[in-house]
Amino acid sequence: MFKRTLPKPKPKPGPVRKTTTPNRKKENGFTVASALVSLVLVILAAGFIGSTIVYSKDSGKRSKIRFDMGSRLEFYKNRLMARPFQAPDMLPGDYSESTEGFHFTWTITPLSPTLNHIALTVRHSYRGKRLWKKTYLYKSQHIKNTDYREANLT
């Protein structure tokens, strides 16, 4: 059988190009656009890392303040429990005391002639935020609280 071949198309007049881009030599390296994109990514990463460091530092400071509040609250709780039932600051009423940026308040409410309810609160202000802890305890005239470490406080 005969194989039929098509005639080759005639070339168009003008210079012959192999690609649609102008003839130029390929160079190794970065373009300005890729350098700017990578610079923006580095700046964003540095910003996120910086904000994370600042947040974690602030969170650590708040945790330390809350820990100090808890230990001071426990100290005041032991102090109040070690006081005699008829001490001047153990009579029914509202009391407050401030020390080193911590503000303590306690309210003593009589439940019976020999039993008092004590609401003890500690507050501290940090960067405009009020941090506070509160606890409740009962003080009886008939129970001697000599097992507290601060029992010798008067």
Side-chain angles (χ1 to χ4, degrees), residues 72-85 87-99 102-110 116-123 133-139 153-154:
R72 289 169 191 258
L73 187 71
E74 198 63 31
F75 172 80
Y76 267 81
K77 180 179 163 185
N78 292 340
R79 181 178 155 197
L80 290 173
M81 292 301 287
R83 304 279 295 158
F85 190 79
D89 59 349
M90 294 301 293
L91 298 175
D94 295 329
Y95 303 93
S96 66
E97 200 173 291
S98 293
T99 172
F102 295 93
H103 185 71
F104 298 92
T105 57
W106 62 94
T107 303
I108 300 177
T109 309
N116 286 341
H117 175 264
I118 303 171
L120 176 62
T121 306
V122 60
R123 286 189 313 264
K133 284 189 176 187
K134 191 171 194 172
T135 188
Y136 301 96
L137 51 133
Y138 296 92
K139 173 107 174 130
L153 293 175
T154 57

Side-chain angles (χ1 to χ4, degrees), residues 27-28 42 55 58 67 77 89 95 108 121 123-124:
E27 297 178 16
N28 292 332
V42 167
Y55 178 77
D58 185 56
F67 177 77
K77 180 179 163 185
D89 59 349
Y95 303 93
I108 300 177
T121 306
R123 286 189 313 264
H124 184 75

Side-chain angles (χ1 to χ4, degrees), residues 27-45:
E27 297 178 16
N28 292 332
F30 298 105
T31 64
V32 173
S34 64
L36 289 176
V37 167
S38 62
L39 181 65
V40 166
L41 291 176
V42 167
I43 289 172
L44 284 174

Side-chain angles (χ1 to χ4, degrees), residues 78 80-83 138-140 143-148 150-151:
N78 292 340
L80 290 173
M81 292 301 287
R83 304 279 295 158
Y138 296 92
K139 173 107 174 130
S140 173
I143 299 174
K144 303 296 180 198
N145 297 308
T146 57
D147 57 339
Y148 289 100
E150 291 81 13

